Structure formats: structure tokens, C-alpha cells
């Protein structure tokens, strides 16, 4: 999509209003082309479940790891919101692929410093979500991308 306007032959350059207007129009056009308005949307049923299932399993495992770590004195208030985020991710991912949330498996977070182990697990999970997002269909990329971003913020919150 190309937007053109009258060419001004003076040294003032484009006005701020014109730049902002063209930017907004370009972003709006990009958003419309990405949402399927122009006929390129992909069907949400079927394909892609194999890429989402590992993220679902990982979200359940992370929630369990946080629950286990929160049992330590002084960590419950800090870790409960992060565990809740992973449960919400698991619920959304399960709904996306039409499955139920699996039961939590025994959580294993590396030995040593519990927060460092959780941070390493979050970093790995974030990389997995980024990879899945890059391979996801358009209708799944937003959810998976937001999960990747949330996992990145969790890793930073555990510093």
C-alpha cells in the first residue's frame, strides 16, 4: 500500500501533522491486512496444535514450580501472581486448541537458589514461546506472543 501526497518544494520539510497522519494510516493499513480483512486470514481450526501443546504443558509445569517454590517462607506473596499468570496461560492455550488443562506434573526447578532456578525456567520457556510464535498461524500469534512477553517479564521480576 502506497500513500502519496503533494510534494512541497521548500526547505521546511513535512509537517508533524502530515507525518503523524501518514504513520497512522500506514499502521492502520498494516493492521487491517494482518487481521484478514483482505482475504488472507488463516483458519483457526486444525493445524498448529502440535506447536501449542508444548507451551500448554510448559505453562502447567511452571505454575506447579511456582506453587512448590511459594511454599518456602517469605516467597508466597511474590510468586503467587506469577503462578496465576501461568495458570491463565494454560487455560487460554487449552481453549485455543480445544483441550482441557492437563494435571500438574511434579514440578522440578533446578537445585540451589529457588529464584535463580525459576528465572532459568522462565528464560527457557520464553525462548520456546518466541519460537512457537514465529511458527504460529496469524490467529494464534497474538496469544503466543503475549505469553512470550509475560514470561520475559517474569524472568526480570525474579532478579
Amino acid at each position: 500500500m502506497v500513500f502519496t501526497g503533494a510534494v512541497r518544494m521548500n526547505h521546511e520539510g513535512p509537517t508533524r501533522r502530515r507525518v503523524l497522519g501518514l504513520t497512522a494510516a500506514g499502521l492502520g493499513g498494516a493492521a487491517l491486512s494482518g487481521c484478514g480483512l483482505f482475504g488472507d486470514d488463516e483458519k483457526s481450526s486444525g493445524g498448529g496444535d502440535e506447536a501449542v501443546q508444548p507451551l500448554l504443558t510448559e505453562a502447567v509445569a511452571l505454575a506447579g514450580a511456582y506453587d512448590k517454590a511459594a511454599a518456602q517462607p517469605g516467597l508466597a506473596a511474590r510468586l503467587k501472581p506469577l503462578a496465576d499468570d501461568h495458570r491463565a496461560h494454560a487455560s487460554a492455550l487449552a481453549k485455543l486448541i480445544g483441550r482441557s488443562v492437563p494435571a500438574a506434573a511434579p514440578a522440578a526447578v533446578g537445585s540451589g537458589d529457588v529464584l535463580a532456578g525459576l528465572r532459568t525456567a522462565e528464560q527457557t520457556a520464553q525462548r520456546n514461546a518466541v519460537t512457537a510464535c514465529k511458527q504460529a498461524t496469524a490467529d494464534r500469534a497474538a496469544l503466543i506472543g503475549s505469553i512470550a512477553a509475560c514470561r520475559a517479564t517474569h524472568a526480570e521480576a525474579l532478579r
Side-chain angles (χ1 to χ4, degrees), residues 64-77:
Y66 277 102
D67 289 340
K68 183 176 179 181
Q72 293 190 13
L75 291 180

Side-chain angles (χ1 to χ4, degrees), residues 88-110:
H89 297 164
S91 178
L93 290 166
K95 182 178 177 181
L96 181 69
I97 59 176
R99 298 195 182 141
S100 59
V101 176
V109 176

Side-chain angles (χ1 to χ4, degrees), residues 17-132:
R17 181 177 291 163
R18 182 162 195 71
V19 170
L20 290 174
L22 290 174
T23 301
L27 290 174
L32 290 175
S33 66
C35 73
L37 182 64
F38 298 117
D40 62 345
D41 61 329
E42 300 174 36
K43 301 296 179 207
S44 62
S45 60
D49 291 359
E50 64 281 348
V52 175
Q53 182 62 48
L55 296 177
L56 171 58
T57 303
E58 197 169 46
V60 170
L62 284 166
Y66 277 102
D67 289 340
K68 183 176 179 181
Q72 293 190 13
L75 291 180
R78 182 175 180 186
L79 300 182
K80 185 183 179 321
L82 306 179
D84 291 345
D85 285 346
H86 287 297
R87 279 189 274 281
H89 297 164
S91 178
L93 290 166
K95 182 178 177 181
L96 181 69
I97 59 176
R99 298 195 182 141
S100 59
V101 176
V109 176
S111 60
D113 182 14
V114 173
L115 295 180
L118 288 170
R119 187 166 191 268
T120 300
E122 285 285 6
Q123 290 169 331
T124 300
Q126 189 266 341
R127 285 190 298 273
N128 294 340
V130 167
T131 299

